[in-house]
Amino acid sequence: MIRTAFVATLLASATPLLAETHTISPGENAQERLQEALILAQPGDEIVLEAGRYAMSDGLSLDVDGVTLRGAGMDGTVLDFTGQQGAGEGLLVTSDNVTMRDFALENPKGDGVKSKGADNIVYHRIRVTWTRGPHPENGAYGIYPVESTGVLIDGVKVTGASDAGIYVGQSNRITVRNSIAEANVAGIEIENSRNALVEHNIATRNTGGILVFDLPNLPVMGGGNVVVANNLVVANDTPNFAPPGNIVAGVRRGTGIMVMANENVLIEDNILSGNPTAPVMVIAYTQPYDDDRYNPLPREVVVGPNQFDGGGYDPQLDGAEMLLAAFGGELPPVLWDGLGSLVAAEGTMGWSLNLTEAGKGLGGAQPGLMTVDAPADSFDRSGIGAPAELDTRL
Amino acid sequence: MKHLSVFLCAVLAFASAAAVEARRMAPEVSDAAIQGKALPRTLEEFGFFIHADAQIPTLGVIPYRLNTPLYSDGAEKLRFVYVPQGTKMQPDGEGLIDFPVGTALIKTFAFGEGDERRLIETRVLLHRAEGWLALPYVWNEKQTEARLAIAGARVPVTTPQGEEISYRVPNKNQCKECHGLNDAVVPIGPKARNLSQEWLSANLGVLPEGADTLPVWENRAQSSTAAVARAFLDVNCAHCHRPGATASNSGLDLRWEQDDPHANGIMKRPVAAGRGAGGLLFDVVPGKPQESILLHRMLSNEPGIAMPELGKATIDEEGADAVRRWIEEMPQ
């Protein structure tokens, strides 16, 4: 009896009072029924999408705090946006403490799921697929949280994004883990963000696997404190299919993990295999910019122990043939432009362009073997990753 | 006895019909509908119109027009504002207006001329104690009633240019995509800089700072190319492309008062434009409209490329011309 009461109390405390479940089934008017549920939901409510395929004619949006949107699995519940007529994304979330889990979006015209200013958001087992595979007319981002604090992305899968599969921008306290990014231009991209943990993911057949960037002239700048660990970054060899003009259009086919203009980045315990331009690339921002707040250099970047296997054999770089000849047919796994500061675990092989100034092009490049120090201290991981309470929603 | 009851019924029926007619003659605006907690299911519950189908407003509901309007597929737009008795609209700095709690902003979208005119939707923006609330009402085929369509709708429409389109009535959340600022819903149309001096003097009693500075769109030939284009961008784009709003992460700030050329898009690289960039490198390249992403996106109808993302299904040729000329004439 006491035990029953205890369990009941536990249940009551875990679920907000009067939280309701709204069940949506596929079929006639699914767009209106689902959108209406997303609008009329109260904080704490759960919207359940029954298994099946939902034909969507417009973008969906959620602006209520604390709502859970749950499907019947990332192959069971499919929101099909092939006939989408409007809006810039499949699903837009603008409220806090939202959990999305166990459903898929196919062929959204713009981005897949975008969450903006949506703090403490959880993406769990969400699939976003552009079904024709790599194509420049696919949407830009699959999973796209921006301007948010507290982002947990776990077990998602994105295929075919013409920019980045999983893109976290201008945010803080981020975890991306257990996810698959396949056949996108950029697999996983952390941009102008701080305190991000990217671990236990698979990035394969993208143009570039995992990118950590900081760009000028954005409302939120100063990317840093990023850990990229225990990822499988394999065979990122898809030719770049980004529409020109996007920053990732400049990413070379065959880039494994790339850091550009960021501080305090740790890359360790990853398996990098079959990335033909460079398994790891650490460079400065090369474009002209006009922004006093911006530092274009990579700083305090640490390449720890990683497992490198078969990279740098077909670099998409100027003078590739000469480089290959000079380095004996295959480039060392770490490519640094020589700008900013980089340390690497003992035994890490690398080469440097030995540039002396950012933004001056490759004219002054004097390629040679990289000579850098070993990391002096252990990397400070405090405060990196999504807040622990987000785990309780999985 | 039976005769009498039939007579009584008839009298009662006549009396209630007369009451309905009288109410139609001059309804009182329902402050309860505007300020209450409920989401009124029909537009009629607000009592804004004497003849709603003819869009004749009741007492206290004031029509207004904007100097430079937002493009909505060429829809005719009928705009009204209501403030409760004993309250006033007041200047609110930077040429804006402070609307008291209890204000309703009402905008009806119509297509077709004269007898052929068909009302499609009426959007209301209600200033409740807890903030602004945006609701869309969709007109029925017979034009007798507009009902709340919280999830929006699609309506087949023929535009003034003769294009057959699937016109999108935004859902309640989509209203916020344009009306959202720092996580609150705000009015975006009736700013003092975009209203005539006559209207402002008559309704505010004073002329706010910065009043009536945007060119009147029909008379735009009399204004500078830059003023026309910047007014267009302010009205059509800046509700999202400004700090604190939906597209703030783009870093593009198209507000009238933003004078930094880079923030206005000049030689600014896109951030998350995706294929919207169309192979171009900068938002605006002086002298080169064909190399400017801003214009490229205005000239597209395709979701994922088209700008604005919401609120139009056709290309605004006049607006695009204004922006094209502005870019062409920019010193290189």
Side-chain angles (χ1 to χ4, degrees), chain A residues 32 35-36 39 58 61 63 85 88 92 109 116 137-138 140-141 144 147 170 217-219 243-246 287, chain B residues 150-151 154 166 168 171-173 176-177 245-246 248-249 251 262 269-272 274-275 279-281 303-304 309:
Chain A
E32 283 71 24
Q35 184 57 60
E36 197 160 312
I39 288 171
D58 278 287
S61 56
D63 189 39
Q85 297 178 63
L92 175 67
K109 296 292 183 209
K116 179 168 185 289
E137 285 172 21
N138 290 350
Y141 302 135
Y144 177 15
E147 288 186 349
Q170 302 179 51
N217 294 112
L218 289 181
N246 295 287
Q287 310 284 356
Chain B
I150 210 137
R154 281 195 172 273
S166 168
R168 174 71 192 167
N171 68 50
K172 184 172 165 287
N173 286 353
K176 193 177 172 185
E177 282 185 47
T246 297
S248 61
N249 56 301
H262 193 268
R269 292 177 188 278
V271 182
R275 69 200 175 97
L280 306 171
L281 298 176
E309 288 181 343

Side-chain angles (χ1 to χ4, degrees), chain A residues 153-229:
Chain A
I153 297 171
D154 185 307
V156 310
K157 182 175 183 187
V158 183
T159 308
S162 68
D163 197 307
I166 300 167
Y167 172 98
V168 185
Q170 302 179 51
S171 293
N172 198 353
R173 303 294 309 269
I174 302 144
T175 296
V176 180
R177 71 183 182 212
N178 306 332
S179 295
I180 301 174
E182 183 175 24
N184 310 287
V185 174
I188 300 168
E189 185 172 355
I190 307 292
E191 189 169 278
N192 290 57
S193 291
R194 288 197 86 77
N195 300 312
L197 175 60
V198 180
E199 64 173 2
H200 299 289
N201 301 288
I202 299 174
T204 187
R205 290 180 50 234
N206 307 288
T207 302
I210 300 174
L211 314 182
V212 183
F213 282 9
D214 198 40
L215 301 178
N217 294 112
L218 289 181
V220 179
M221 287 173 34
N225 295 351
V226 179
V227 173
V228 180

Side-chain angles (χ1 to χ4, degrees), chain A residues 37-258:
Chain A
L38 291 169
I39 288 171
L40 296 176
Q42 297 292 315
D45 285 2
E46 181 162 276
I47 297 169
V48 174
L49 297 162
E50 290 188 328
R53 184 167 281 271
Y54 295 69
M56 296 284 131
S57 59
D58 278 287
L60 298 162
S61 56
L62 173 62
D63 189 39
V64 182
D65 290 345
V67 169
T68 295
L69 183 57
R70 178 196 295 270
M74 59 198 260
D75 292 314
T77 296
V78 179
L79 305 178
D80 183 350
F81 288 89
T82 306
Q84 185 181 359
Q85 297 178 63
E89 54 281 305
L91 170 59
L92 175 67
V93 179
T94 47
S95 46
D96 298 336
N97 298 306
V98 166
T99 304
M100 289 174 283
R101 54 184 304 156
D102 300 294
F103 60 91
L105 294 91
E106 291 187 358
N107 302 324
K109 296 292 183 209
D111 305 313
V113 186
K114 177 177 178 181
S115 52
K116 179 168 185 289
D119 294 343
N120 294 324
I121 192 161
V122 174
Y123 291 86
H124 186 44
R125 293 193 300 246
I126 303 288
R127 176 172 64 84
V128 180
T129 308
W130 281 275
T131 53
R132 63 181 158 190
H135 195 288
E137 285 172 21
N138 290 350
Y141 302 135
I143 304 284
Y144 177 15
V146 63
E147 288 186 349
S148 303
T149 299
V151 176
L152 174 58
I153 297 171
D154 185 307
V156 310
K157 182 175 183 187
V158 183
T159 308
S162 68
D163 197 307
I166 300 167
Y167 172 98
V168 185
Q170 302 179 51
S171 293
N172 198 353
R173 303 294 309 269
I174 302 144
T175 296
V176 180
R177 71 183 182 212
N178 306 332
S179 295
I180 301 174
E182 183 175 24
N184 310 287
V185 174
I188 300 168
E189 185 172 355
I190 307 292
E191 189 169 278
N192 290 57
S193 291
R194 288 197 86 77
N195 300 312
L197 175 60
V198 180
E199 64 173 2
H200 299 289
N201 301 288
I202 299 174
T204 187
R205 290 180 50 234
N206 307 288
T207 302
I210 300 174
L211 314 182
V212 183
F213 282 9
D214 198 40
L215 301 178
N217 294 112
L218 289 181
V220 179
M221 287 173 34
N225 295 351
V226 179
V227 173
V228 180
N230 293 297
N231 299 285
L232 200 52
V233 184
V234 177
N236 290 290
D237 55 7
T238 295
N240 197 318
F241 60 98
N246 295 287
I247 188 78
V248 298
V251 173
R252 305 300 164 98
R253 166 187 173 269
T255 304
I257 298 171
M258 176 173 173

Side-chain angles (χ1 to χ4, degrees), chain B residues 112-117:
Chain B
E113 302 276 327
D115 290 346
E116 301 285 289
R117 181 168 85 177

Side-chain angles (χ1 to χ4, degrees), chain B residues 95-149:
Chain B
L96 305 178
I97 297 174
D98 179 35
F99 296 99
V101 169
T103 296
L105 294 161
I106 306 135
K107 181 161 65 166
T108 297
F109 293 67
F111 286 90
E113 302 276 327
D115 290 346
E116 301 285 289
R117 181 168 85 177
R118 198 156 61 93
L119 310 180
I120 306 298
E121 57 158 332
T122 297
R123 301 178 191 168
V124 302
L125 203 53
L126 311 173
H127 196 183
R128 293 182 164 179
E130 61 273 21
W132 289 89
L133 173 69
L135 297 173
Y137 290 82
V138 175
W139 286 88
N140 63 7
E141 197 62 38
K142 288 183 186 157
Q143 303 279 283
T144 53
E145 188 180 59
R147 294 190 71 83
L148 180 63

